[in-house]
């Protein structure tokens, strides 16, 4: 689908790039020619992904930082900028989440998720945005949200609140910074199996099966499907896409939005009886 040099010469910072979807995006963007700078808290996953990218003849480096700490983000961005001469894209992918009844949450639990998702995305966007504006350098930001950023969702209230904030930030800055040739977009993924998400949000095989059973395509997302969407949105082919949020969930969120999704599983006899009734009247 893409030219192999689609992202040649580009340098992309990915937060949370050592695991899950961040890793998948890092590998794919590198395959398409980009230099990759990975940022997260744990060294080992970052080094493993960077080594894998280098073993394929591409460039990758990393720095540890907790995105909740603006000074640490500044240091990491500085490292990435000098490593590759500049950075031209940011993927805000780092996140924290867990399933919990909201009335049992401590304020610290809420703050932990808000800090990683909303403040963390703001910290990285601010650190790079200031550099882009000062250097008159174009920039691209891709924020990884979830479908419930716009709908809300029970039992993940800190995450839903934070992701909704990042969606508002995406749209707001897309307007404010367009004059600086900085564009911001978002992806809203549905379920994509990763160790990080599944260990916190899918408590049992039965819960996974119940989720699948309500999915119109009866399957979860594949990592490469999300990585290819990210590659497109970061590429110059998407230059006129700004302030947009693209859902990638196989129709799962659309499923609840009409009143008749429950009829998807209705047997043929149901429709035939309806048809007979219509002809009689
Ligand atoms: C209630 C919880 C909790 C839980 C932690 N806390 N887990 N409360 N239920 N399951 C509380 C703690 O008790 C503590 O509050 C506060 O949260 C902070 O916890 P710490 O462990 O000290 O924080 P920290 O080490 O910073 O860890 C952050 C974290 C952790 C968010 C809690 O899960 C993490 O590091 N996650 C990173 C990866 C991740 O979450 N990936 C999933 C992304 S999937 P007190 O008051 O006790 O001090 C996703 C979307 C999926 O985002 C959508 C699917 C469709
Ligand atoms: P994941 O593997 O747990 O990824 C989260 C990453 O964020 C980890 O690499 C983690 O690395 C990093 N991180 C967490 N807290 C951080 C902090 N304070 N500072 C810096 N980095 C931090 O989960 P995932 O499923 O791939 O999720 C990736 C993104 O997709 C998230 O934005 C998530 O909300 C979104 N998403 C996922 C799904 C899904 O079904 N998987 C669905 C919708 C949206 P460290 O622990 O080393 O810091």
């Amino acid at each position: 689908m893409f030219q192999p040099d689609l992202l040649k010469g580009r340098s992309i910072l990915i937060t949370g790039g050592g695991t899950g979807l961040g890793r998948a995006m890092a590998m794919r963007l590198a395959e398409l020619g980009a230099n990759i700078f990975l940022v997260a808290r744990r060294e080992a996953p970052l080094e493993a992904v960077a080594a894998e990218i280098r073993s394929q003849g591409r460039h990758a480096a990393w720095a540890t930082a907790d995105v909740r700490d603006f000074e640490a983000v500044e240091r990491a961005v500085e490292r990435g900028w000098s490593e590759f001469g500049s950075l031209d894209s940011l993927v805000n992918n780092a996140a924290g989440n867990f399933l919990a009844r909201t009335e049992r949450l401590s304020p610290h639990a809420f703050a932990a998720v808000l800090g990683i998702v909303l403040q963390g995305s703001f910290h990285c966007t601010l650190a790079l945005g200031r550099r882009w504006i000062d250097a008159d350098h174009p920039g691209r930001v891709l924020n990884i949200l979830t479908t419930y950023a716009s709908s809300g969702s029970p039992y993940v209230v800190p995450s839903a609140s934070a992701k909704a904030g990042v969606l508002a930030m995406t749209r707001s800055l897309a307007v404010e910074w367009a004059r600086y040739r900085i564009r911001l977009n978002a992806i809203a993924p549905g379920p994509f199996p990763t160790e990080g998400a599944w260990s916190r949000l899918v408590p049992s095989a039965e819960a996974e099966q119940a989720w699948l059973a309500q999915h119109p395509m009866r399957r979860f997302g594949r990592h490469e499907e999300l990585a290819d969407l990210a590659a497109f949105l970061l590429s110059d082919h998407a230059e006129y896409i700004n302030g947009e949020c693209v859902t990638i969930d196989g129709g799962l969120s659309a499923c609840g939005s009409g009143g008749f999704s429950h009829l998807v599983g209705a047997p043929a006899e149901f429709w035939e009886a309806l048809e007979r009734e219509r002809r009689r009247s």
Side-chain angles (χ1 to χ4, degrees):
M1 176 178 167
F2 297 126
Q3 298 291 328
D5 61 353
L6 181 78
L7 300 172
K8 193 164 190 281
R10 301 279 301 279
S11 297
I12 302 173
L13 188 157
I14 306 177
T15 65
T19 64
L21 299 179
R23 177 188 171 281
M25 287 186 280
M27 298 304 300
R28 182 66 174 134
L29 301 175
E31 191 181 43
L32 292 167
N35 304 322
I36 303 296
F37 195 74
L38 306 161
V39 175
R41 294 168 299 180
R42 290 167 297 156
E43 268 185 44
L46 298 178
E47 177 48 31
V49 174
E52 208 177 336
I53 291 173
R54 288 190 214 111
S55 74
Q56 292 169 9
R58 305 293 186 180
H59 300 291
W62 53 270
T64 54
D66 186 324
V67 294
R68 289 171 284 197
D69 174 354
F70 183 62
E71 296 310 317
V73 167
E74 275 282 0
R75 285 193 295 274
V77 166
E78 195 54 49
R79 280 265 300 276
W81 193 279
S82 54
E83 178 78 29
F84 295 128
S86 70
L87 293 163
D88 55 60
S89 304
L90 164 67
V91 182
N92 280 314
N93 166 80
N97 203 352
F98 42 71
L99 270 186
R101 290 168 294 178
T102 305
E103 66 275 19
R104 302 285 181 97
L105 284 180
S106 70
H108 185 210
F110 187 80
V113 175
L114 262 283
I116 300 168
V117 176
L118 181 54
Q119 285 180 282
S121 299
F122 180 70
H123 289 159
C124 297
T125 306
L126 184 67
L128 272 161
R130 281 177 173 166
R131 281 173 174 76
W132 290 330
I133 292 167
D134 287 348
D136 192 21
H137 189 300
R140 300 147 200 91
V141 179
L142 184 60
N143 292 323
I144 308 302
L145 309 178
T146 64
T147 50
Y148 59 66
S150 34
S151 63
S153 174
Y155 306 114
V156 285
V157 165
S159 170
S161 308
K163 295 281 189 182
V166 181
L167 178 59
M169 187 171 79
T170 307
R171 292 177 172 147
S172 307
L173 282 176
V175 176
E176 191 176 330
W177 285 357
R179 63 166 64 188
Y180 300 119
R181 298 181 295 153
I182 298 170
R183 59 183 183 85
L184 297 94
N185 289 300
I187 294 178
F192 283 72
T194 64
E195 211 277 315
W198 256 230
S199 64
R200 293 173 175 91
L201 301 170
V202 186
S204 63
E206 291 72 36
E208 184 180 53
Q209 284 311 312
W211 216 4
L212 267 182
Q214 64 169 32
H215 196 294
M217 290 177 73
R218 302 284 186 272
R219 73 164 175 90
F220 296 130
R222 300 181 184 121
H223 289 198
E224 63 272 19
E225 293 172 322
L226 184 123
D228 278 341
L229 177 59
F232 168 68
L233 288 172
L234 289 168
S235 78
D236 290 341
H237 296 290
E239 194 57 40
Y240 204 51
I241 301 178
N242 190 25
E244 188 54 68
C245 176
V246 181
T247 295
I248 178 166
D249 73 346
L252 181 60
S253 53
C255 204
S257 63
F260 299 101
S261 301
H262 60 288
L263 292 180
V264 164
E269 297 80 63
F270 167 85
W271 295 108
E272 282 148 17
L274 203 69
E275 197 56 14
R276 280 197 300 278
E277 193 57 36
R278 182 176 72 84
R279 289 216 189 84
R280 251 205 309 273
S281 56

